[in-house]
Amino acid sequence: MSKKNVGFVTLVTVTIAIIITLFYEFDLLGISPVVMMGVRWVTASVLTLNAIVRKNLTTWILTCLILGVFVGLDFPNLAIAMHPLSQGFIKLVKTIVGPILFATLVFGIAGHSDLKSVGRMAWKSMLYFFCATTCAIFIGLAVINITKAGVGVDIEHMPHEELPTTSAVAAADQKVLDHISENVHGVYKFNAFIRDTFPENIVKSVYENKVLQIVIFGVLFGIGLAMVSEKKRKPLVDFTESLAEAMFKFTNLVMLFAPIGVGAAMAYTVGHLGVDILKNLFMLLISLYIALIVFILLILFPIALYLKVPVKQFINAIKEPVSIAFATTSSDAALPKAMENMEKFGVPRKIVSFVIPTGYSFNLDGTSLYLSLASIFVAQAAGIDLSFGQQLLIAFTLMITSKGVAAVPRASLIVLIATADQFGLPTFVIAAILGIDELMDMARTSVNVIGNCLATVVVAKWEGEFDEEASKNPNFLEAESE
């Protein structure tokens, strides 16, 4: 069968399956669970055939994403048993992060020997990051105050799961905080955050996947290398260029495993949570998704239009890394593919290698929005009436404490717990969010990736170095990274 015919059959099958599912959910025709299982696996067969015919990695990833949902629904124990495959995929991707960040940063800085451009990129990136995350926070506050998702919540019947034992500060720092005045706690915590961005051992930073520490080391090393003579600089510059190219090829090989890793991640999510969790705390979940969509439509989309970014081509560039981020709930898993695709889209490597990794700590649009929304939800559920000023104070505190959590799945929940303690909000309400945190993490992590990919284009356009021809080429993803 041709691609066109298979595509038509797939569209018809999926449409019918959605209609039957709606009838089943609303109990309109008395459809049995056995029939629904049959509908799901007929749909799965058609989707698999479509993926085989199209021979496209993105199609396979999205297909396996849906197959994972079906496995989680119908075979939950098997789905949970598949979890090691998704863990293995994330571990494999993490081996890429350290070398690719170091190589691209050093080559981008030392290869051009233009230290002024690095400084310009830094302040322009930070300005954009601050504006984007601030908009995200205000949208989160607006949506939760409109939907009032937490008002009237029956706290007694919310799932009371054990909270992870954690602290927003290290044990050594906590001892210091216990012995100094509370009015300087904020200053100490901010300085501690700055301290923790500096690596004490680059191998340790790579092992622990401390993205910001790798960036700091790469930038300083690149600047130092740019300051030595051409004769001594060239061998290392050539080495980092070769390493970067090799790591991009390595990424392509690892991504062949992505459909299995993504499918297993989705199967595990549905298998151990169950779909009934969608009905529990439904308003909070919907509020978050509405807020994220509003952020994309009112902030990111207008920015793209203003800068005359080819939106369709941009979507093609980000759909693969975003689908990986959605399934794995880790921006880290999407980083190598996001960097590669944005370079092919027309953003210079030196900008991609600086903006995306830095954005993983400072441009968490989805996470910032979620934290502002979730903190007010907790207050609403507990019956605590917060003034607008108090809400802003909590939101901005959360934005500062959230730095550097993008690489770790569900780490934002830990930040939320620690900050709730600080403001006297009841943590047992946050415990109830654990049930749906994974579903929310999928969306906010995806928006983090979208925001950082767009940030590379913003900075490239601002610097006047964006390759317009590359972005308009319909086959740009098939081109080799230069």
Side-chain angles (χ1 to χ4, degrees):
M1 294 178 71
S2 67
K3 285 184 182 180
K4 188 175 180 181
N5 290 336
V6 171
F8 178 74
V9 171
T10 303
L11 179 62
V12 171
T13 304
V14 170
T15 303
I16 293 172
I18 291 172
I19 293 171
I20 294 174
T21 301
L22 290 173
F23 284 152
Y24 174 75
E25 287 296 327
F26 291 100
D27 198 20
L28 296 178
L29 297 178
I31 300 171
S32 70
V34 176
V35 171
M36 279 309 303
M37 182 185 287
V39 169
R40 282 194 288 271
W41 290 103
V42 168
T43 305
S45 301
V46 174
L47 289 172
T48 304
L49 175 63
N50 179 61
I52 292 171
V53 171
R54 291 188 180 278
K55 298 177 182 178
N56 179 280
L57 182 60
T58 304
T59 303
W60 270 113
I61 289 173
L62 296 174
T63 299
C64 289
L65 199 73
I66 297 169
L67 293 182
V69 174
F70 293 169
V71 172
L73 286 170
D74 298 328
F75 309 103
N77 291 325
L78 174 63
I80 294 171
M82 293 173 67
H83 189 43
L85 290 176
S86 67
Q87 292 174 315
F89 171 65
I90 292 176
K91 287 175 70 176
L92 200 56
V93 171
K94 284 185 176 182
T95 64
I96 304 169
V97 175
I100 206 170
L101 285 185
F102 174 76
T104 52
L105 275 170
V106 173
F107 176 72
I109 295 169
H112 297 84
S113 300
D114 186 0
L115 300 184
K116 288 185 178 179
S117 70
V118 177
R120 286 199 311 271
M121 275 194 296
W123 77 260
K124 288 177 180 178
S125 299
M126 291 302 172
L127 179 60
Y128 174 77
F129 294 164
F130 175 78
C131 293
T133 51
T134 301
C135 290
I137 283 174
F138 276 102
I139 288 173
L141 288 177
V143 170
I144 194 66
N145 278 289
I146 291 170
T147 63
K148 297 190 181 299
V151 175
V153 170
D154 186 2
I155 296 176
E156 294 299 320
H157 292 89
M158 293 176 83
H160 283 62
E161 299 187 40
E162 186 179 347
L163 287 170
T165 304
T166 184
S167 174
V169 293
D173 290 333
Q174 189 59 54
K175 288 181 180 179
V176 177
L177 289 171
D178 290 340
H179 291 86
I180 61 176
S181 174
E182 282 191 15
N183 60 359
V184 293
H185 278 198
V187 176
Y188 183 88
K189 288 178 181 178
F190 176 77
N191 290 334
F193 166 72
I194 297 297
R195 176 201 65 203
D196 292 338
T197 63
F198 300 135
E200 60 177 319
N201 184 317
I202 186 58
V203 176
K204 182 182 177 185
S205 299
V206 172
Y207 169 73
E208 295 179 348
N209 216 47
K210 303 286 188 182
V211 175
L212 201 54
Q213 292 185 6
I214 299 170
V215 170
I216 295 291
F217 181 84
V219 169
L220 293 176
F221 189 91
I223 291 172
L225 187 59
M227 295 170 72
V228 303
S229 64
E230 175 68 23
K231 181 181 177 181
K232 294 179 180 179
R233 181 172 70 240
K234 193 174 186 303
L236 270 177
V237 170
D238 291 342
F239 167 74
T240 53
E241 183 180 20
S242 297
L243 178 60
E245 291 294 339
M247 291 312 298
F248 280 124
K249 299 299 181 187
F250 183 84
T251 300
N252 291 337
L253 293 175
V254 171
M255 286 304 142
L256 295 176
F257 185 64
I260 296 173
V262 165
M266 186 56 71
Y268 172 74
T269 299
V270 176
H272 89 280
L273 289 180
V275 288
D276 286 342
I277 201 65
L278 289 172
K279 300 170 185 175
N280 192 20
L281 302 175
F282 181 71
M283 277 302 292
L284 175 61
L285 189 69
I286 290 298
S287 295
L288 177 70
Y289 276 74
I290 289 173
L292 291 173
I293 291 170
V294 168
F295 176 74
I296 291 172
L297 294 179
L298 296 187
I299 306 298
L300 299 185
F301 186 61
I303 289 172
L305 290 181
Y306 177 75
L307 294 175
K308 298 179 181 177
V309 178
V311 176
K312 186 177 179 182
Q313 299 290 79
F314 180 73
I315 292 172
N316 287 335
I318 65 170
K319 64 183 179 183
E320 195 173 321
V322 167
S323 62
I324 292 169
F326 182 83
T328 61
T329 69
S330 172
S331 303
D332 219 19
L335 184 142
K337 202 64 186 175
M339 290 178 69
E340 181 183 354
N341 284 7
M342 293 318 297
E343 188 178 336
K344 290 178 177 178
F345 186 64
V347 181
R349 176 174 294 178
K350 65 175 183 178
I351 293 178
V352 171
S353 61
F354 181 86
V355 174
I356 289 185
T358 309
Y360 269 27
S361 285
F362 294 101
N363 190 38
L364 307 180
D365 298 333
T367 301
S368 297
L369 188 151
Y370 160 76
L371 288 171
S372 67
L373 184 142
S375 60
I376 306 307
F377 171 84
V378 171
Q380 289 176 350
I384 299 172
D385 187 21
L386 296 174
S387 68
F388 185 67
Q390 289 173 314
Q391 291 186 28
L392 280 182
L393 182 61
I394 290 174
F396 282 115
T397 302
L398 285 165
M399 185 180 75
I400 294 169
T401 55
S402 71
K403 301 309 178 193
V405 303
V408 185
R410 283 165 298 287
S412 53
L413 184 71
I414 298 187
V415 173
L416 184 61
I417 293 166
T419 311
D421 269 334
Q422 180 182 339
F423 285 93
L425 299 177
T427 54
F428 73 88
V429 178
I430 301 174
I433 299 175
L434 279 169
I436 58 167
D437 187 64
E438 194 151 357
L439 297 171
M440 295 190 290
D441 209 356
M442 292 173 176
R444 64 181 181 248
T445 303
S446 300
V447 173
N448 286 342
V449 173
I450 295 170
N452 282 317
C453 287
L454 182 60
T456 64
V457 181
V458 171
V459 175
K461 290 262 190 179
W462 202 345
E463 285 283 283
E465 296 187 33
F466 185 69
D467 187 346
E468 300 286 352
E469 295 302 317
S471 65
K472 292 174 182 175
N473 178 9
N475 301 313
F476 71 94
L477 287 176
E478 297 171 11
E480 288 287 328
S481 297
E482 295 181 2

